[in-house]
């Protein structure tokens, strides 16, 4: 097996770039970013070529250079605090230096509105509206939290499933776990965060350059199960461009609620045709405080470091990055749930990523990208000082090829690809057999424009094999044996430009999710999750049909959207709390993996309006209902009389109202957050009261000597309100953290 | 060979070497061997007669009818009770050796290789109440804390092996104990809490406050 892996990696990084020798022709995109009012150069502008996912930051002179851009039209977005975001379409010509000047309009407030420049005639902007969104710059710094889910929580429709402050995982529109795919630089995280609430996400948000959220057809490039969405944390560990000079950033963050401190730094170093990237961070914090005392055993320490190198030439680039994530954190105690002292989790992940891309100037394909990734993940749950509870080991090998192509028939452009994953999965401390899985996928996403109508369609075919290392036909949970699944998933979106800034559209997604290994084969105690997990070897795949309609309004001063959605599942897979103590570990309830018919539906809306050049107001609201069908057997056993019952872990109605006021380089912000009571309860859930919280903060930026400083000070939960989150597995024992003073300093150089 | 190819080869050699080092890492976790029987319950025996049986998540006290002395009714519930009737040796306050035997899914008794004999299994237990006084150790403090600290303890001696032990009564009161079957470094079986009661009796070795004045009832502080 190892020999095969070696051969594969050699193929990726040796044969592929050499084969590109014949195609050394591509375009160069270079230029300068200047202030539209003063014509002064603007340093540290974050530039992103969207179709080919290349990023670079302007140097101290405001200059930039992308050295290997395929010919054709490409979308460039520019982001910088103090200026309006800008998106423009640019034509790239082969073997030429395509030089442009980007003029950014100063804005004392950076909102989510985007200035669109150089619009193609006839298309009228609908091709720049997607189902996907991104978070970066000011917004990312303002919301930066301890975990990825805390960072995203302020987005409409986003919530955090938690089990103490450390192990949070994003939930989108009530969909979580495997239905939300978490990526880092386009690669799956390779951790166990989707399997259980006590497992944290092995990506620290402090090093994120931007966070992309993909929905609809674009999500199919990464997986067929992400009906909730794909969250891609962009760290650019493998550089895609050689900067003009050494650039970097350093970050310090402190928070009072857990005496937390975080430090991070990144460097991008050019050397001839090579670019080196170093990205390090460390985080430490003690127990979190609440208005009624501290959350016992909620401390955390983590470090997430990476080093990457790329060889960049006109034919494309080849790069490799190694990274490590080490984290120790506590799961708070649950005297009634089986562990009165809590559980300590030690987690480590070592990852090697390789990516190579070749640009073709005169062929059907604009560029072809090969990528491979190896991840070795391990975590152990310490129930007492000398007693290891459950240990997880996951070794994941993935590889893929994807190619962006030029238009054919009525499609303007598209992407086709093939992807494979082999995963070795082992759990110690339970009866679950060691097992492995193989997934092979073919996918395509195509885009077309018909005047004001922009259409994206995507399809993905997956074949999955789940194989225990030994068959157990007479296992207590059923006949444990190899299972195979195949299915086609598909998605389509249409966005129509109604004119005057209005867009309307719809997204449909037919998702597919093969049962995960632990859903099929697990049998054993999981103390940190307060559960005894019982798999079901006979589970069928989960199929979902997601529908969404939306209306958006976007002008220079206003960005607004409203969306209604419905996700129907023919076989929604989840671990159901049976309420029955296990007959081997009597302190834990049996959690049985089941598949049920279910539907999750709701709406969300957000608006942001800049009333004056100095004042911006934003508001958002989201509401989700989740329910499952109750069959006759269950009605007979439980005496339940209804035909549907609420699903567990569904967020209540949430709303927010925020104000931002700017004076020169200072921006003040406040946000009122409201959550209603959640009384639609899944099995053995308890009622959660509503709450209202107030946050406030101030941001300051300073250009000095070619160095750009940003200071962000915030207070969350100003009135130290005692509140509980419905998606917290420990809400009956501990409330959420209390008042928190948070300071973030970041310098770009 | 041109410069491009030379550079590519050098760069490739570097990254392939890195990959080789990384790939050699294999999954460090291996699941438990599935070659032992699972415990689904247990009995506690004295003189080969069952004092109690835990099966299907339920306790049955005195299932053989041989140990009426171990059972009294407290607050309307039958509980395992330590009294002078089951503790003949009042100088140490302990029951004779009692032994745990494990039950399979069908309730049949079976043996597991005990750690005391070189095996991988041992018995562990957790009491609900702490065993220490919150302050200075005085007779007054003991009486004051009598409802907060543990009234009963469990002793294991070398001759008991991994499955034998003695209940020891220290003062009047009730506590709960959870029995755990430990396999190397993790729990293979955990029981529901068992209520254990120490009776108040008129006896020369028991004070009016209910403290059993035997040689092993030592005062402990934090």
């Amino acid at each position: 097996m190892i020999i095969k892996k070696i051969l594969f990696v050699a193929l990726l990084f040796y044969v592929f770039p050499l084969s590109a020798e014949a195609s050394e022709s591509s375009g160069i995109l270079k230029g300068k970013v200047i202030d539209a009012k003063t014509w002064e150069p603007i340093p540290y502008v974050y530039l992103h070529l969207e179709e080919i996912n290349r990023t670079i930051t302007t140097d101290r002179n405001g200059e930039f250079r992308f050295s290997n851009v395929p010919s054709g039209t490409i979308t460039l977005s520019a982001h910088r605090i103090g200026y309006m975001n800008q998106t423009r379409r640019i034509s790239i010509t082969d073997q030429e230096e395509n030089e442009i000047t980007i003029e950014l309009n100063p804005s004392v407030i950076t909102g989510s509105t985007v200035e669109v420049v150089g619009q193609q005639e006839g298309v009228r902007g609908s091709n720049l509206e997607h189902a996907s969104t991104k978070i970066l710059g000011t917004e990312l710094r303002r919301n930066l939290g301890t975990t990825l889910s805390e960072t995203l929580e302020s987005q409409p429709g986003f919530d955090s499933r938690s089990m103490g402050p450390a192990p949070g995982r994003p939930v989108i529109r009530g969909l979580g776990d495997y239905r939300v795919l978490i990526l880092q630089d386009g690669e799956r995280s390779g951790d166990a965060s989707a399997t259980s609430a006590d497992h944290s996400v092995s990506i620290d948000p402090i090093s994120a350059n931007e966070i992309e959220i993909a929905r609809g057809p674009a999500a199919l490039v990464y997986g067929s199960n992400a009906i909730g969405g794909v969250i891609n944390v962009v760290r650019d560990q493998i550089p895609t461009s050689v900067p003009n000079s050494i650039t970097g950033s350093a970050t310090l963050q402190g928070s009072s609620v857990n005496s937390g401190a975080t430090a991070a730094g990144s460097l991008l170093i050019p050397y001839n045709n090579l670019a080196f990237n170093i990205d390090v961070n460390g985080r430490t914090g003690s127990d979190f405080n609440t208005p009624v005392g501290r959350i016992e055993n909620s401390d955390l320490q983590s470090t997430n470091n990476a080093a990457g190198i790329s060889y960049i030439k006109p034919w494309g680039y080849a790069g490799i990055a190694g990274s490590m994530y080490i984290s120790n954190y506590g799961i708070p105690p649950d005297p009634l749930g089986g562990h009165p002292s809590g559980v300590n989790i030690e987690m480590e992940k070592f990852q090697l990523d390789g990516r190579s891309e070749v640009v073709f100037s005169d062929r059907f394909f604009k560029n072809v990208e090969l990528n491979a990734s190896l991840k070795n993940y391990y975590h152990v749950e310490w129930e007492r000082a000398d007693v290891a509870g459950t240990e997880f080991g996951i070794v994941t090998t993935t590889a893929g090829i994807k190619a962006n192509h030029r238009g054919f028939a009525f499609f303007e452009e598209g992407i086709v690809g093939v992807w494979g994953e082999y995963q070795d999965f082992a759990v110690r401390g339970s009866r679950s057999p060691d097992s492995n899985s193989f997934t092979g996928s073919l996918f395509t996403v195509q885009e077309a424009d018909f005047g004001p109508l922009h259409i994206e369609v995507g399809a993905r075919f997956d074949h999955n094999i789940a194989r225990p290392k030994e068959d157990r036909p007479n296992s207590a949970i059923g006949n444990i044996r190899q299972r195979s699944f195949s299915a086609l998933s598909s998605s389509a979106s249409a966005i129509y430009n109604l004119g005057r800034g209005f867009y309307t559209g719809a997204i449909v997604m037919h998702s597919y999710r093969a049962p995960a290994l632990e859903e099929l084969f697990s049998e054993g105690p999981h103390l940190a999750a307060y559960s005894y997990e019982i798999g079901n070897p006979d589970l069928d795949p989960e199929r979902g049909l997601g529908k969404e309609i939306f209306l958006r309004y976007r002008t220079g001063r206003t960005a607004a959207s409203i969306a209604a959605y419905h996700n129907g599942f023919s076989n929604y897979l989840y671990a159901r709390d049976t309420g029955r103590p296990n007959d081997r570990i009597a302190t834990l309830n049996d959690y049985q993996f089941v598949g049920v018919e279910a539907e999750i539906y709701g709406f969300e809306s957000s608006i942001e309006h800049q009333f004056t050049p100095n004042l911006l107001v934003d508001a958002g609201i989201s509401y989700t209902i989740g329910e499952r069908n109750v069959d006759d057997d269950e009605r007979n056993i439980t005496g339940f009389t209804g035909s549907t019952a609420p699903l567990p872990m569904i967020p209540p109605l949430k709303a927010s109202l925020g104000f931002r006021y700017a004076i020169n380089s200072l921006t003040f912000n406040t946000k009122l957050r409201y959550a209603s009571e959640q009384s639609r309860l899944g099995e053995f859930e308890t009622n959660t009261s509503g709450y209202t919280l107030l946050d406030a903060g101030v941001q300051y930026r300073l250009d000095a000597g070619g160095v750009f400083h940003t200071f962000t000070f915030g207070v969350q939960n100003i009135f130290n309100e005692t509140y509980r989150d419905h998606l917290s597995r420990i809400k009956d024992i501990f409330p959420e953290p209390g008042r928190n003073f948070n300071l973030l300093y970041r310098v770009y150089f | 060979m041109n410069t491009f190819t030379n550079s590519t080869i050098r760069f490739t050699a570097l990254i392939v070497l890195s990959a080789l080092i990384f790939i050699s890492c294999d999954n460090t976790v291996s699941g438990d061997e599935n070659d032992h029987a699972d415990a689904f319950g247990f009995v506690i025996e004295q003189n080969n007669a069952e004092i109690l049986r835990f099966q299907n998540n339920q306790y049955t006290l005195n299932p053989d009818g041989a140990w009426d002395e171990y059972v009294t009714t407290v607050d309307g519930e039958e509980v395992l009770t330590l009294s002078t009737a089951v503790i003949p040796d009042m100088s140490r306050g302990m029951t004779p050796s009692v032994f745990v035997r494990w039950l399979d899914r069908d309730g049949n008794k079976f043996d597991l290789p005990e750690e005391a004999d070189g095996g991988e299994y041992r018995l562990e237990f957790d009491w609900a109440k702490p065993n220490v006084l919150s302050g200075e150790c005085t007779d007054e403090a003991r009486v004051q804390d009598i409802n907060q600290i543990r009234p009963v303890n469990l002793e294991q001696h070398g001759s008991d092996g991994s499955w034998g032990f003695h209940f020891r009564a220290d003062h009047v009161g009730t506590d709960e104990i959870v029995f755990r079957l430990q396999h190397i470094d993790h729990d293979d079986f955990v029981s529901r809490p068992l209520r254990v009661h120490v009776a108040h009796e008129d006896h020369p070795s028991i004070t009016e406050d209910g403290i059993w004045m035997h040689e092993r009832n030592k005062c402990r502080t934090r």
Side-chain angles (χ1 to χ4, degrees):
Chain A
M1 182 56 70
I2 287 175
I3 297 297
K4 285 182 185 172
K5 289 180 182 175
I6 293 168
L7 286 174
F8 176 78
V9 174
L11 176 74
L12 172 64
F13 295 106
Y14 185 74
V15 178
F16 186 62
L18 288 184
S19 69
E21 279 189 80
S23 175
E24 289 205 44
S25 56
S26 60
I28 291 172
L29 176 62
K30 59 182 283 192
K32 197 167 193 173
V33 184
I34 61 170
D35 186 305
K37 296 276 166 44
T38 66
W39 289 24
E40 290 291 318
I42 310 173
Y44 314 116
V45 179
Y46 185 76
L47 299 170
H48 185 201
L49 294 178
E50 298 197 350
E51 288 82 355
I52 56 174
N53 213 18
R54 305 268 184 82
T55 58
I56 202 166
T57 305
T58 58
D59 63 16
R60 291 180 180 195
N61 303 314
E63 294 173 353
F64 68 93
R65 177 187 168 97
F66 290 101
S67 59
N68 43 30
V69 184
S71 61
T73 305
I74 202 154
T75 309
L76 172 71
S77 58
H79 305 269
R80 167 66 146 80
I81 185 172
Y83 293 89
M84 277 194 77
N85 298 327
Q86 188 178 112
T87 297
R88 59 165 59 194
R89 300 275 280 174
I90 295 165
S91 292
I92 302 294
T93 310
D94 282 344
Q95 297 177 312
E96 282 188 14
E97 289 195 345
N98 301 269
E99 191 159 358
I100 61 168
T101 299
I102 301 171
E103 297 177 19
L104 293 186
N105 281 304
S107 170
V108 289
I109 294 182
T110 306
S112 59
T113 54
V114 177
E115 184 182 23
V116 178
V117 175
Q119 194 53 63
Q120 283 180 303
E121 192 176 345
V123 174
R124 295 195 303 186
S126 53
N127 59 338
L128 297 178
E129 284 290 330
H130 297 283
S132 306
T133 56
K134 60 174 71 173
I135 302 163
L136 72 170
T138 313
E139 187 180 10
L140 182 56
R141 281 192 294 275
R142 191 172 55 242
N143 296 312
L144 193 61
T146 306
T147 61
L148 179 63
S149 57
E150 190 184 336
T151 303
L152 294 169
E153 248 182 327
S154 60
Q155 302 296 313
F158 276 71
D159 292 274
S160 177
R161 177 212 72 191
S162 68
M163 197 162 185
R169 195 176 197 278
V171 171
I172 304 175
R173 296 173 171 177
L175 297 165
D177 300 335
Y178 286 101
R179 298 166 198 95
V180 173
L181 200 52
I182 296 177
L183 313 172
Q184 178 176 282
D185 286 339
E187 284 290 342
R188 296 189 183 202
S189 60
D191 57 34
S193 63
T195 65
S196 183
D198 61 306
H199 301 168
S200 70
V201 176
S202 60
I203 299 171
D204 196 304
I206 192 114
S207 297
N209 293 331
E210 63 175 288
I211 299 173
E212 298 170 339
I213 298 146
R215 289 195 182 113
L220 288 177
V221 172
Y222 304 104
S224 54
N225 53 326
I227 189 169
V230 173
I231 297 170
N232 183 26
V233 178
V234 179
R235 291 181 72 178
D236 294 321
Q237 290 181 354
I238 297 175
T240 54
S241 304
V242 180
N244 293 340
S245 59
I246 294 176
T247 60
S249 69
T251 304
L252 291 172
Q253 186 182 29
S255 54
S256 65
V257 73
N258 67 336
S259 304
T262 309
S266 69
L267 271 181
L268 185 58
I269 305 164
Y271 179 75
N272 295 330
N273 294 315
L274 296 173
F276 300 88
N277 178 57
I278 299 167
D279 189 350
V280 296
N281 68 60
R283 183 184 293 278
T284 183
S286 55
D287 288 349
F288 283 72
N289 289 311
T290 77
V292 294
R294 68 189 173 87
I295 304 175
E296 297 166 46
N297 204 47
S298 60
D299 59 310
L300 76 151
Q301 293 81 39
S302 69
T303 182
N304 189 187
N305 308 312
I309 177 174
S310 275
Y311 179 65
I312 297 160
K313 292 285 282 180
W315 50 261
Y317 70 89
I320 194 165
S323 61
M324 56 180 279
Y325 178 84
I326 297 173
S327 176
N328 296 340
Y329 61 91
I331 298 295
D334 178 6
L336 301 175
H339 55 87
S341 306
V343 173
N344 293 314
I345 294 184
E346 294 177 8
M347 178 182 289
E348 59 184 39
K349 184 180 77 172
F350 296 95
Q351 182 167 344
L352 183 72
D353 298 311
R355 193 164 63 237
S356 183
E357 183 187 292
V358 173
V359 176
F360 299 102
S361 60
D362 50 1
R363 302 185 188 169
F364 175 65
F365 289 109
K366 285 196 281 191
N367 63 324
V368 177
E369 178 191 299
L370 267 73
N371 57 72
S373 178
L374 301 165
K375 305 169 197 91
N376 196 334
Y377 172 88
Y378 167 79
H379 92 238
V380 55
E381 301 175 0
W382 293 99
E383 296 169 14
R384 292 180 292 280
D386 57 343
V387 179
T390 317
E391 290 178 77
F392 288 82
I394 307 172
V395 178
T396 309
T397 308
T398 59
I401 305 172
K402 58 184 178 186
N404 287 290
H405 64 73
R406 295 187 165 80
F408 72 98
F410 50 81
F411 292 114
E412 300 286 330
E413 58 189 354
I415 184 168
V416 295
V418 56
W419 181 83
E421 178 185 77
Y422 177 80
Q423 193 170 71
D424 186 72
F425 183 86
V427 184
R428 189 165 174 275
S430 78
R431 307 294 293 162
S432 308
D434 291 354
S435 51
N436 53 54
S437 68
F438 168 79
T439 303
S441 307
L442 297 167
F443 59 84
T444 182
V445 177
Q446 303 293 328
E447 298 185 32
D449 293 302
F450 302 96
L453 179 66
H454 178 69
I455 287 178
E456 294 180 26
V457 292
R460 184 178 179 108
F461 176 78
D462 288 280
H463 180 67
N464 307 84
I465 298 171
R467 185 175 59 194
K469 288 193 177 165
E470 58 176 295
D471 287 356
R472 295 178 184 171
N474 300 314
S475 155
I477 66 167
N479 180 8
I480 292 178
R481 78 285 188 192
Q482 178 174 312
R483 299 289 309 279
S484 298
F485 312 96
S486 295
L488 180 71
S489 43
S490 55
S491 181
S493 70
I495 302 176
Y496 188 81
N497 185 348
L498 296 166
R500 298 191 173 187
F502 285 96
Y503 300 85
T504 186
I507 304 170
V508 178
M509 183 169 189
H510 190 205
S511 71
Y512 155 78
R513 180 168 85 82
L517 291 170
E518 73 276 8
E519 291 171 327
L520 289 169
F521 304 138
S522 68
E523 190 209 349
H526 193 171
L527 242 66
Y530 316 150
S531 60
Y532 190 97
E533 289 165 2
I534 301 174
N536 180 352
D538 298 321
L539 281 178
D540 290 324
E542 176 180 293
R543 297 304 307 249
L545 182 61
K547 291 86 69 181
E548 175 183 348
I549 53 171
F550 58 83
L551 178 68
R552 293 176 187 168
Y553 176 67
R554 198 184 291 276
T555 66
R557 293 171 59 191
T558 305
S561 73
I562 183 167
Y565 51 87
H566 180 277
N567 299 298
F569 294 91
S570 60
N571 195 38
Y572 182 85
L573 301 177
Y574 76 110
R576 178 187 292 175
D577 183 355
T578 63
R580 182 182 63 233
N582 180 256
D583 51 11
R584 284 185 55 227
I585 310 290
T587 48
L588 302 175
N589 277 2
D590 284 342
Y591 277 66
Q592 172 73 59
F593 284 102
V594 295
V596 296
E597 283 189 36
E599 57 181 355
I600 296 176
Y601 55 94
F603 73 93
E604 69 188 31
S605 180
S606 64
I607 183 166
E608 181 183 289
H609 181 69
Q610 193 166 349
F611 282 95
T612 72
N614 299 79
L615 177 65
L616 186 148
V617 178
D618 64 78
I621 185 169
S622 62
Y623 184 51
T624 303
I625 294 172
E627 47 193 30
R628 63 182 179 85
N629 286 359
V630 179
D631 59 26
D632 291 340
D633 288 346
E634 187 178 346
R635 274 195 290 270
N636 292 335
I637 292 169
T638 63
F640 186 79
T641 54
S643 58
T644 62
L647 282 169
M649 303 293 276
I650 297 295
L653 172 76
K654 286 192 172 180
S656 68
L657 176 64
F659 296 88
R660 270 176 274 168
Y661 185 77
I663 308 170
N664 298 323
S665 296
L666 271 175
T667 304
F668 300 89
N669 63 278
T670 62
K671 182 159 254 185
L672 197 65
R673 292 183 281 152
Y674 166 78
S676 72
E677 176 191 21
Q678 179 56 288
S679 56
R680 294 179 54 82
L681 306 176
E683 298 97 332
F684 306 101
E685 279 191 331
T686 54
N687 198 74
T688 309
S689 301
Y691 58 84
T692 304
L693 307 174
L694 182 65
D695 305 333
V698 59
Q699 297 186 63
Y700 178 68
R701 62 181 191 273
L702 174 67
D703 275 301
V707 177
F708 185 55
H709 307 264
T710 62
F711 302 84
T712 306
F713 175 72
V715 191
Q716 290 86 42
N717 192 3
I718 288 175
F719 296 115
N720 208 25
E721 188 79 19
T722 301
Y723 72 103
R724 295 166 198 272
D725 190 300
H726 189 69
L727 271 57
S728 166
R729 282 283 298 273
I730 58 166
K731 72 182 175 68
D732 293 328
I733 305 159
F734 296 105
E736 293 297 299
R739 183 189 300 121
N740 179 36
F741 295 96
N742 183 61
L743 180 64
L744 175 73
Y745 165 69
R746 181 166 286 175
V747 59
Y748 300 87
F749 53 86
Chain B
M1 202 174 285
N2 62 31
T3 308
F4 169 79
T5 308
N6 275 331
S7 303
T8 305
I9 288 173
R10 280 200 297 275
F11 183 65
T12 303
L14 175 72
I15 57 181
V16 168
L17 186 64
S18 308
L20 282 173
I21 294 166
F22 187 89
I23 291 166
S24 61
C25 302
D26 235 330
N27 199 334
T28 50
V29 176
S30 177
D32 299 332
E33 295 297 322
N34 190 29
D35 58 357
H36 62 79
D38 286 326
F40 285 84
F42 67 96
V43 296
I44 296 178
E45 295 178 336
Q46 184 175 327
N47 299 334
N48 293 320
E50 294 181 11
I51 299 170
L52 64 88
R53 173 175 279 253
F54 181 72
Q55 190 179 353
N56 298 328
N57 267 321
Q58 287 192 323
Y59 284 103
T60 307
L61 300 178
N62 192 24
D64 297 341
W67 288 111
D68 293 339
E69 304 92 323
Y70 269 110
V71 184
T72 61
T73 301
V74 176
D75 300 331
E77 180 191 355
E78 284 195 341
V79 295
L80 186 74
T81 301
L82 304 182
S83 64
T84 54
V86 298
I87 301 180
D89 179 5
M90 286 299 287
S91 65
R92 297 201 297 172
M94 295 190 306
T95 65
S97 291
V98 298
F99 294 90
V100 164
R101 297 198 66 196
W102 303 102
L103 302 178
D104 65 17
R105 189 182 288 276
D106 300 321
N108 302 312
K109 295 171 194 170
F110 70 98
D111 296 318
L112 286 166
E114 55 187 293
E115 207 172 73
D117 283 345
E120 295 180 337
Y121 294 88
R122 65 181 185 277
L123 177 69
E124 294 205 351
F125 44 86
D126 297 316
W127 291 100
K129 288 182 178 175
N131 199 27
V132 292
L133 288 168
S134 56
E136 192 179 345
C137 180
T138 62
D139 288 345
E140 292 76 19
R142 292 183 66 185
V143 172
Q144 192 174 339
D145 283 1
I146 202 163
N147 291 322
Q148 279 74 49
I149 61 175
R150 189 182 307 161
V152 56
N153 273 286
L154 193 152
E155 286 193 24
Q156 269 191 310
H157 305 145
S159 57
D160 296 326
S162 292
W163 311 131
F165 61 87
H166 308 257
F167 284 113
R168 192 189 74 217
D170 288 342
H171 61 79
V172 65
T174 304
D175 200 357
E176 291 184 340
I177 184 172
V178 169
F179 294 94
R180 291 189 285 110
L181 172 63
Q182 190 83 9
H183 180 209
I184 307 176
D185 60 0
H186 62 270
D187 293 328
D188 244 23
F189 172 86
V190 181
S191 75
R192 292 181 71 179
L194 169 70
R195 282 187 79 189
V196 184
H197 178 66
V198 177
H200 201 313
E201 295 178 72
D202 286 333
H203 191 279
S205 298
I206 302 174
T207 70
E208 285 184 2
D209 296 315
I211 295 175
W212 290 46
M213 302 300 290
H214 54 76
E215 63 186 36
R216 304 180 81 85
N217 191 357
K218 293 169 185 165
C219 195
R220 295 178 179 83
T221 55
R222 221 185 299 270

